[in-house]
């Protein structure tokens, strides 16, 4: 018989861990008691300290009920992270990301150990997926020493894949009937299904899953538009892909932009053949419009990367000069920093209440 564990820690961080980290000077700046700030060994604020992620190790008991937070505490911890930490403007957002990323891993770990039920697991994973997608866009131009996009993407795919499995597990007639109204109102699953499609643009398995979704999901605007974008990618119609991306909601645009480096590389390679010439150039401003570049100087940088000639803000496409060994264009933010920050409440918090 499977043993189910129910955590009993009602704080965001168990007392034992808080005391140890306080003693060892391992508190994050977001967790320190303000009255002790600046002292040699700052004290922890029990209302701000959050359990950090730890890898399973020999001698470490991972299923101690006193060290595990039950589902409602895990959910309230996510709300705290998104309302009190993610929205801060007094520190570099990469510091905020690193802190939240680690604490969300700990939340997922607690949930997995306790085998939290399907519905609550879904409620935990949906905001985590949104955070990872938002972060991928907000930090995409950072140096790899600050932000590792590959690691973020790995966790994103892991979370959203797990989420879809949970959706499928709950997909029986009785659950559908009871949940239909809720799903229609808050659009959470529709959004997640659309995100999955956009994260796997052009992938036939992803498209097949989308086309086999229940009718009420398949007919949702987000899913329909995402399918059109994915199919256009499959056909290598980069012009249509970029045109349709602009019709997406902000979070879905953030998801689509994760693949923009691959899309631009594909487009530039195709154009190197289609517009191959030793004399005639392609207008840079037109390419900027087609491939959603925010700055024409970014086109110059990508042209240099792929061996193309950029002259007088125009591109000389030559098939023989295209550097096929380069697999990605440079990353670029779609939204400006200030606008992306203003989207935080809409993206991270709206569906959590």
């Amino acid at each position: 018989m499977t043993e189910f564990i129910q955590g009993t820690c009602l704080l965001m961080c168990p007392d034992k861990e808080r005391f140890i980290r306080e003693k060892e000077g391992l508190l994050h700046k977001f967790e320190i008691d303000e009255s002790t700030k600046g002292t040699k060994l700052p004290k922890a604020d029990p209302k701000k300290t959050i359990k950090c992620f730890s890898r399973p190790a020999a001698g470490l008991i991972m299923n101690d009920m006193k060290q595990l937070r039950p589902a409602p505490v895990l959910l309230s911890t996510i709300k705290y992270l998104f309302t009190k930490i993610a929205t801060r403007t007094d520190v570099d957002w990469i510091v905020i990301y690193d802190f939240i990323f680690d604490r969300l891993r700990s939340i997922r770990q607690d949930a997995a150990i306790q085998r939290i039920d399907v519905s609550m697991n879904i409620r935990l994973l949906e905001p985590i997926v949104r955070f990872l997608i938002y972060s991928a866009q907000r930090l995409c131009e950072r140096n790899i020493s600050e932000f590792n996009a590959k690691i973020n993407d790995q966790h994103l795919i892991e979370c959203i894949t797990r989420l879809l499995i949970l959706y499928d597990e709950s997909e029986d007639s009785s659950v559908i009937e009871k949940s239909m109204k809720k799903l229609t109102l808050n659009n959470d699953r529709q959004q997640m299904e659309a995100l999955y499609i956009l994260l796997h643009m052009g992938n036939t398995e992803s498209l097949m899953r989308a086309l086999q979704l229940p009718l009420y999901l398949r007919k949702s605007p987000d899913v329909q538009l995402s399918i059109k974008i994915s199919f256009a990618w499959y056909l290598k119609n980069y012009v249509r892909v970029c045109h349709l991306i602009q019709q997406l909601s902000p979070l879905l645009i953030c998801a689509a932009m994760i693949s923009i480096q691959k899309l631009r590389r594909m487009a530039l390679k195709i154009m190197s053949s289609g517009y191959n010439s030793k004399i005639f150039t392609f207008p840079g401003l037109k390419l900027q419009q087609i491939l959603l570049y925010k700055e024409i100087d970014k086109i110059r940088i990508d042209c240099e990367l792929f061996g193309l000639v950029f002259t007088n803000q125009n591109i000389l496409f030559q098939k023989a000069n295209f550097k096929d060994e380069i697999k990605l264009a440079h990353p670029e933010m779609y939204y400006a920093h200030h606008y992306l920050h203003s989207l935080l409440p809409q993206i991270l918090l709206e569906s959590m209440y």
Side-chain angles (χ1 to χ4, degrees):
M1 177 180 284
T2 303
E3 180 183 357
F4 290 94
I5 304 165
Q6 176 68 59
T8 59
C9 175
L10 300 181
L11 295 174
M12 293 190 295
C13 181
D15 291 333
K16 182 179 178 181
E17 179 184 316
R18 188 174 73 252
F19 293 148
I20 292 174
R21 289 209 281 129
E22 183 180 82
K23 182 180 178 181
E24 300 295 330
L26 298 175
L27 295 172
H28 194 279
K29 65 169 68 177
F30 297 151
E31 302 173 318
I32 293 173
D33 185 333
E34 290 298 318
S35 65
T36 65
K37 188 176 181 181
T39 61
K40 186 176 181 181
L41 201 62
K43 298 291 184 181
D45 186 334
K47 294 182 179 179
K48 295 180 180 179
T49 311
I50 304 174
K51 182 179 180 181
C52 59
F53 174 75
S54 60
R55 297 184 181 279
L60 184 63
I61 302 173
M62 301 298 293
N63 59 357
D64 182 351
M65 293 186 294
K66 294 180 181 178
Q67 309 307 313
L68 295 171
R69 298 157 293 178
V73 176
L74 296 177
L75 190 60
S76 64
T77 302
I78 293 177
K79 290 180 179 179
Y80 172 83
L81 287 168
F82 289 174
T83 54
K84 303 299 183 182
I85 305 298
T87 55
R88 291 180 63 147
T89 56
D90 59 329
V91 293
D92 190 337
W93 210 80
I94 192 65
V95 177
I96 291 171
Y97 167 81
D98 287 340
F99 179 76
I100 295 180
F101 182 83
D102 178 84
R103 289 349 185 231
L104 291 179
R105 286 191 74 184
S106 175
I107 287 171
R108 289 162 53 197
Q109 188 177 54
D110 274 17
I113 293 171
Q114 296 175 82
R115 295 188 177 89
I116 286 176
D117 67 82
V118 171
S119 60
M120 181 55 79
N121 224 329
I122 288 173
R123 291 185 67 191
L124 293 172
L125 282 172
E126 286 172 344
I128 292 175
V129 166
R130 293 187 182 99
F131 171 77
L132 294 172
I133 288 175
Y134 175 86
S135 300
Q137 169 65 187
R138 182 155 184 171
L139 299 172
C140 69
E141 295 183 2
R142 294 296 190 110
N143 189 282
I144 192 171
S145 62
E146 294 181 302
F147 174 69
N148 192 318
K150 285 187 177 180
I151 291 178
N152 189 81
D153 290 350
Q154 287 170 4
H155 284 265
L156 170 57
I157 296 302
E158 180 182 322
C159 287
I160 199 165
T161 301
R162 174 62 180 155
L163 188 55
L164 265 57
I165 291 172
L166 293 170
Y167 286 143
D168 291 343
E169 287 179 3
S170 66
E171 195 66 39
D172 60 68
S173 58
S174 60
V175 173
I176 293 175
E177 187 176 345
K178 293 176 183 177
S179 305
M180 181 76 73
K181 186 175 181 180
K182 177 184 175 183
L183 285 167
T184 302
L185 287 174
N186 63 30
N187 290 322
D188 281 344
R189 182 171 178 184
Q190 286 94 320
Q191 185 185 65
M192 292 297 140
E193 294 285 358
L195 288 171
Y196 184 79
I197 298 167
L198 293 170
L199 292 171
H200 297 83
M201 282 190 281
N203 180 278
T204 53
E205 290 184 8
S206 172
L207 277 169
M208 285 298 295
R209 175 189 166 82
L211 295 173
Q212 293 171 7
L213 287 171
L215 190 59
Y216 75 97
L217 288 169
R218 201 165 64 248
K219 281 195 169 184
S220 71
D222 284 347
V223 171
Q224 285 192 337
L225 183 54
S226 298
I227 290 174
K228 290 178 182 178
I229 292 171
S230 184
F231 190 63
W233 180 297
Y234 176 77
L235 296 175
K236 292 184 170 53
N237 188 342
Y238 55 87
V239 176
R240 180 167 170 77
V241 171
C242 291
H243 173 71
L244 293 176
I245 282 176
Q246 298 174 82
Q247 300 175 27
L248 294 166
S249 62
L251 181 64
L252 298 185
I253 286 180
C254 290
M257 291 301 290
I258 291 176
S259 299
I260 195 66
Q261 294 168 261
K262 293 180 182 178
L263 176 66
R264 286 173 176 168
R265 191 254 185 207
M266 176 183 77
L268 292 173
K269 182 178 181 180
I270 293 173
M271 295 177 80
S272 293
S273 295
Y275 294 95
N276 183 48
S277 174
K278 294 182 179 180
I279 303 173
F280 298 108
T281 59
F282 190 92
L285 292 175
K286 183 64 177 177
L287 187 67
Q288 181 181 0
Q289 178 186 3
I290 292 173
L291 296 182
L292 306 181
Y293 281 99
K294 291 301 174 185
E295 301 174 15
I296 197 164
D297 193 54
K298 298 284 179 137
I299 299 178
R300 177 189 61 78
I301 294 172
D302 277 351
C303 284
E304 292 175 359
L305 178 68
F306 291 110
L308 304 174
V309 176
F310 184 86
T311 176
N312 297 322
Q313 294 196 338
N314 297 319
I315 303 96
L316 181 66
F317 285 111
Q318 292 184 314
K319 181 180 179 181
N321 293 340
F322 187 86
K323 295 180 180 179
D324 206 44
E325 69 276 10
I326 307 296
K327 299 304 178 184
L328 292 174
H330 286 93
E332 185 187 20
M333 289 182 65
Y334 182 84
Y335 292 116
H337 276 283
H338 67 277
Y339 180 70
L340 201 55
H341 188 78
S342 72
L343 290 174
L344 264 170
Q346 175 186 344
I347 290 178
L348 299 184
L349 301 173
E350 187 175 16
S351 66
M352 292 194 67
Y353 295 99

